[in-house]
Amino acid sequence: MADQRPDTETTGDDILAAAGIVVTPEGIERARERLRAARERWTPELDAALRTQLGLPARAA
């Protein structure tokens, strides 16, 4: 039977590097800025519209 324990020594950067994706501090900061901007644009109305589109129940207040 195969060992099912996760490799706790492997980092996300290691996994990305193995796939040929280079992670740089500048790239990380660009991604953080894009996430911040997206969060600022997100509104309760957008959330409600998406939940309706996906057939999910309304979120409790």
Side-chain angles (χ1 to χ4, degrees), residues 13 16-17 21-32:
D13 288 351
L16 292 171
I21 301 169
V22 179
V23 178
T24 64
E26 295 83 10
I28 292 170
E29 188 52 41
R30 279 194 310 272
R32 286 181 177 149

Side-chain angles (χ1 to χ4, degrees), residues 4-43:
Q4 298 297 315
R5 290 174 290 172
D7 180 5
T8 58
E9 299 297 317
T10 303
T11 67
D13 288 351
D14 295 336
I15 294 168
L16 292 171
I21 301 169
V22 179
V23 178
T24 64
E26 295 83 10
I28 292 170
E29 188 52 41
R30 279 194 310 272
R32 286 181 177 149
E33 180 55 38
R34 290 181 68 183
L35 286 171
R36 273 192 293 272
R39 285 187 193 109
E40 288 173 2
R41 290 190 308 267
W42 198 253
T43 64

